[in-house]
Amino acid sequence: MTTTRLTVAQATVRFLAHQFVERDGVRTKLFAGALGIFGHGNVAGLGQALLQDELEALEAGREPGLPYVLGRNEQAMVHTAVAYARAKDRLQAWAVTASVGPGSTNMLTGAALATINRLPVLLLPADTFATRSAGPLLQELELPASGDVTVNDAFRPLSRYFDRVWRPEQLPGALLGAMRVLTDPAETGAVTVCFPQDVQAEAHDWDDDLFAERTWHVGRPLPEKAALARAVEVIRSARNPLLVAGGGVHYSGAQAALAALAEATGIPVGQSQAGKGALPFDHPQSVGAIGSTGTTAANALAREADVVIGVGTRFQDFTTASRTAFQNPDVRFVTLNVASLDAAKHSAVSVVADAREGLEALASGLDGYDVGDAHRARTAELKAAWDATVASVYARDSAGSTGDLDVQPDQNQVLGTVNELSDPRDVVVCAAGSMPGDLHKLWQVRDAKGYHVEYGYSCMGYEVAGGIGVAMAAEDDARHGAAPRDVFVMVGDGSYLMMATELVTAVQEGVKIIVVLVQNHGYASIGSLSEQLGSQRFGTRYRARTSSGRLDGDFLPVDLAANAASLGIHVVRTSTRKELEAAVLDAKASTESTVIHVDTDPFVDAPSSESWWDVPVSEISALESTQRARGVYEQHKARQRPFLRPSGLKPSEKN
Ligand SMILES: Cc1ncc(C[n+]2csc(CCOP(=O)(O)OP(=O)(O)O)c2C)c(N)n1
Ligand SMILES: [Mg+2]
């Protein structure tokens, strides 16, 4: 056995640089690089190792093994990493390194987001000394009842794999454990390996096999025959089935298999936020978004469906309209998912398998099955009605603009302008506020990768940082011969104020993003929700406090355009629809990033989904507005379904 003497941090960097993934015969380096912010805990250990990697690469005239990117906020760096992984169908990822204490715990929100969205990221939080020689350290948590708990233990419930390298000898096991989970489609999410800062700097003789190239095969688990047969039997009995496509369709690259199944059978396809784009918007079987922020087409079909086929979806409450979307009393579920957690939901006949393999197997099992002319016609009619609704709020026709262009746009028109002036391959990025729901309903996706809304965690602040991750992934694809894509980041003023910091990182890296910053002076989304729930938009407007003691004064004199410009980015202020159109076209033509500032009216909503979202209203209240809202809430609540009946049973067999 030959060995090499390196520090734990140097060994970690060298190991990570030699990990590859392979799927369908295509092999890629797993780690695009390391994002980081240094402080005590990682500046010396991992910082030194990354510097050495960069300098050795420069000298040898090659790329660093683990290229380093300096971010501005640890949470944001995790968002960038996760967005990149999503844009790469989970076949590439980033490591993120943070200093001990607050630098590390800043990553907790990102960890939750990654795990909930089933997206891989390797978190390397620094930890306090293994030797405890200088304890308590600056930024160390001291618990009177426990000597070995550190702030990083907070990552445990948020991570799909958690480890801490107290001793150098533990490193190989920790790294291999991390890799297994990162590359497993059913297990992946945030993976956390904590590095005590003294251990990072400690030298050890490593078996050279640790640094050999390793290729992790990303599997496509096949459906079990009997499970497939059960699923086929239930679907064959369906008269008006509906398929719900989730993010798993994208990650598996199953779009063509989905289109083939939908075309052969006529089964209409609704899409969750992560699943949007699984079919292009104009595909005859695509009925667009489903659930609380769905289209009236998908939601009408959902209400009537006798069999619901979930593919690669978590069936989150927005997708099921808090379990009110499916109203047929005899509805049965068939779910196809690589993760048994998701496959088992709603008492489904479940098929645990890769989405592409599962869809292909279902298609051959369903040979000859067709939903019939009536269901095909109903799908087409509902779809055409929704398309007309979108056209009316986008307020443009195929010949160009309609309506007055010299007025301030409403939010629907902002989305319409960007949708119609962007190229089919461009990507729209969003996460929180009123825009994700509006985008889900309205946005006409023309490319499988054209829609990137983070709605597992719907985290304010994801937008700019996530947009950078998507843009870096698109740039990497372009370096490998793909056509370029522009990335449109749609961000509200509230989300912008929470985390606009990474605009600096975009400038630093020369990564091009187009940020459409929608200023409506507060939380339009939560304001409208608050009003529906009888809470009168309380505390959702960015207004000055007045002598009444309330936040009911003038708009605050914030200038977010000036704020963005101060970060070194090109900014365009727009106040009319015409100016917005010109700004979008200019930003597309430019090679640099642009922030387009646009004012809108928070009271103009998107068209209704004819759906619901369960947010409980006070059962008793001194306010008349709340009492009224409670009455409406109870009516909706009565329609909520537990989906407890085993799906394998036919209605006639129900007990
Ligand atoms: C980190 C975080 N905090 C709070 C929320 C709850 N929340 C969802 S949307 C929203 C307001 C967003 O405001 P803005 O970005 O201006 O978008 P708008 O609602 O005006 O469209 C809030 C507070 C959240 N999703 N994420
Ligand atoms: Mg706002």
Side-chain angles (χ1 to χ4, degrees), residues 3-278:
T3 61
T4 301
R5 191 161 175 80
L6 296 170
T7 67
V8 167
Q10 291 157 1
T12 300
V13 168
R14 187 170 294 189
F15 172 89
L16 295 178
H18 288 90
Q19 305 308 304
F20 291 77
V21 294
E22 176 274 324
R23 188 173 74 175
D24 303 331
V26 180
R27 186 169 176 266
T28 353
K29 200 170 167 213
L30 176 63
F31 290 102
L35 286 145
I37 292 179
F38 295 129
H40 89 105
N42 66 343
V43 65
L46 271 163
Q48 188 280 335
L50 287 162
L51 167 68
Q52 189 167 312
D53 179 50
E54 187 172 298
L55 293 179
E56 281 172 5
L58 265 179
E59 206 171 293
R62 56 166 172 83
E63 282 284 293
L66 207 58
Y68 179 70
V69 173
L70 164 62
R72 297 297 172 291
N73 172 306
E74 292 85 357
Q75 178 186 322
M77 296 193 298
V78 185
H79 296 334
T80 299
V82 163
Y84 188 99
R86 175 167 165 183
K88 291 282 191 174
D89 293 333
R90 315 195 293 196
L91 297 172
Q92 277 188 283
W94 286 76
V96 187
T97 163
S99 57
V100 79
S104 288
T105 52
N106 262 359
M107 298 197 294
L108 287 167
T109 298
L113 185 148
T115 290
I116 287 167
N117 283 289
R118 323 275 201 255
L119 292 167
V121 62
L122 176 61
L123 305 179
L124 305 175
D127 229 318
T128 48
F129 292 6
T131 57
R132 303 187 188 169
S133 59
L137 306 187
L138 171 72
Q139 302 167 327
E140 176 170 345
L141 174 75
E142 287 183 278
L143 289 185
S146 173
D148 69 345
V149 171
T150 80
V151 293
N152 287 342
D153 286 278
F155 282 96
R156 286 181 190 271
L158 306 179
S159 303
R160 299 305 308 267
Y161 180 81
F162 177 95
D163 212 338
R164 184 180 274 126
V165 183
W166 292 116
R167 295 179 57 85
E169 293 85 342
Q170 295 170 328
L171 183 70
L175 292 176
L176 293 171
M179 286 301 305
R180 172 181 62 77
V181 173
L182 284 169
T183 58
D184 181 332
E187 292 281 310
T188 198
V191 165
T192 304
V193 182
C194 309
F195 285 94
Q197 61 170 304
D198 50 351
V199 179
Q200 281 180 42
E202 202 173 326
H204 185 78
D205 294 311
W206 308 97
D207 180 339
D208 282 332
D209 284 345
L210 182 63
F211 309 120
E213 279 189 3
R214 271 194 170 68
T215 302
W216 298 80
H217 176 73
V218 177
R220 292 191 176 276
L222 299 178
E224 189 199 340
K225 265 190 199 154
L228 187 70
R230 285 193 294 271
V232 165
E233 191 195 332
V234 174
I235 299 172
R236 275 190 180 279
S237 74
R239 297 169 57 92
N240 48 357
L242 174 71
L243 193 147
V244 179
V249 173
H250 288 299
Y251 309 144
S252 162
Q255 299 93 349
L258 174 64
L261 177 83
E263 284 156 26
T265 60
I267 299 174
V269 178
Q271 294 136 51
S272 72
Q273 284 275 15
K276 197 164 152 109

Side-chain angles (χ1 to χ4, degrees), residues 242-246 249 258 267-273 275-276 278-279 285-291 295 297-299 301 309 311 313 319 440:
L242 174 71
L243 193 147
V244 179
V249 173
L258 174 64
I267 299 174
V269 178
Q271 294 136 51
S272 72
Q273 284 275 15
K276 197 164 152 109
L279 293 180
Q285 268 71 48
S286 177
V287 287
I290 188 167
T295 68
N299 284 341
L301 293 168
I309 307 155
V311 181
T313 174
T319 310
H440 193 213

Side-chain angles (χ1 to χ4, degrees), residues 245-564:
V249 173
H250 288 299
Y251 309 144
S252 162
Q255 299 93 349
L258 174 64
L261 177 83
E263 284 156 26
T265 60
I267 299 174
V269 178
Q271 294 136 51
S272 72
Q273 284 275 15
K276 197 164 152 109
L279 293 180
F281 85 98
D282 53 358
H283 185 281
Q285 268 71 48
S286 177
V287 287
I290 188 167
S292 307
T293 53
T295 68
T296 50
N299 284 341
L301 293 168
R303 269 192 295 278
E304 300 156 11
D306 55 354
V307 172
V308 175
I309 307 155
V311 181
T313 174
R314 300 165 53 228
F315 279 123
Q316 185 236 53
D317 63 345
F318 264 81
T319 310
T320 67
S322 302
R323 302 194 182 208
T324 61
F326 310 112
Q327 284 294 320
N328 184 328
D330 294 322
V331 66
R332 290 186 287 170
F333 288 83
V334 173
T335 57
L336 165 59
N337 206 296
V338 75
S340 63
L341 169 68
D342 297 315
K345 288 171 180 169
H346 296 339
S347 313
V349 167
S350 68
V351 180
V352 177
D354 168 69
R356 196 185 77 188
E357 293 291 345
L359 282 166
E360 284 171 1
L362 278 179
S364 66
L366 289 170
D367 190 27
Y369 168 79
D370 194 289
V371 296
D373 292 345
H375 198 48
R376 282 181 185 261
R378 177 141 173 76
T379 300
E381 183 192 317
L382 288 165
K383 183 175 162 59
W386 181 257
D387 285 348
T389 302
V390 176
S392 72
V393 299
Y394 274 10
R396 292 171 65 96
D397 62 23
S398 53
S401 304
T402 61
D404 189 354
L405 289 182
D406 289 317
V407 295
Q408 175 179 296
D410 62 39
Q411 187 162 292
N412 297 320
Q413 292 165 341
V414 172
L415 302 187
T417 302
V418 178
N419 201 169
E420 287 170 2
L421 297 183
S422 56
D423 286 325
R425 283 177 55 79
D426 292 348
V427 189
V428 66
V429 177
C430 195
S434 56
M435 281 192 284
D438 296 359
L439 287 166
H440 193 213
K441 284 179 205 180
L442 300 174
W443 191 265
Q444 299 183 320
V445 189
R446 298 152 289 173
D447 179 280
K449 288 205 183 304
Y451 187 85
H452 184 122
V453 174
E454 186 284 294
Y455 218 64
Y457 211 41
S458 184
C459 184
M460 287 170 79
Y462 177 89
E463 295 86 351
V464 171
I468 292 172
V470 176
M472 292 195 313
E475 285 178 11
D476 184 66
D477 290 343
R479 274 193 295 278
H480 291 90
R485 301 176 191 272
D486 272 320
V487 176
F488 284 89
V489 174
M490 311 299 294
V491 63
D493 56 314
S495 257
Y496 178 91
L497 280 170
M498 220 175 256
M499 206 185 288
T501 47
E502 301 312 301
L503 288 175
V504 177
T505 307
V507 174
Q508 162 192 295
E509 295 298 315
V511 170
K512 181 187 171 187
I513 53 173
I514 302 170
V515 179
V516 179
L517 167 50
V518 176
Q519 170 61 285
N520 56 22
H521 300 277
Y523 308 155
S525 52
I526 306 300
S528 147
L529 180 65
S530 165
E531 191 169 307
Q532 274 172 45
L533 306 179
S535 296
Q536 306 173 15
R537 296 190 179 245
F538 175 65
T540 63
R541 282 177 286 216
Y542 289 172
R543 299 275 184 136
R545 195 171 296 282
T546 61
S547 55
S548 70
R550 308 199 69 200
L551 296 178
D552 58 3
D554 290 337
F555 288 139
L556 300 176
V558 292
D559 184 345
L560 298 182
N563 175 277

Side-chain angles (χ1 to χ4, degrees), residues 574-645:
T574 69
S575 45
T576 64
R577 292 174 62 196
K578 200 191 280 170
E579 287 171 9
L580 175 65
E581 290 189 0
V584 168
L585 293 173
D586 286 349
K588 272 199 66 63
S590 170
T591 53
E592 283 175 19
S593 294
T594 306
V595 170
I596 302 172
H597 184 277
V598 49
D599 278 290
T600 62
D601 176 351
F603 294 101
V604 179
D605 289 329
S608 168
S609 282
E610 296 173 8
S611 189
W612 183 64
W613 183 38
D614 189 348
V615 181
V617 179
S618 301
E619 202 167 353
I620 53 166
S621 167
L623 305 178
E624 207 255 327
S625 60
T626 313
Q627 291 162 8
R628 233 181 308 120
R630 177 71 196 189
V632 176
Y633 176 74
E634 283 170 8
Q635 284 167 23
H636 284 291
K637 192 76 182 157
R639 298 171 63 242
Q640 204 163 38
R641 313 264 323 268
F643 302 132
L644 292 177
R645 188 201 304 157

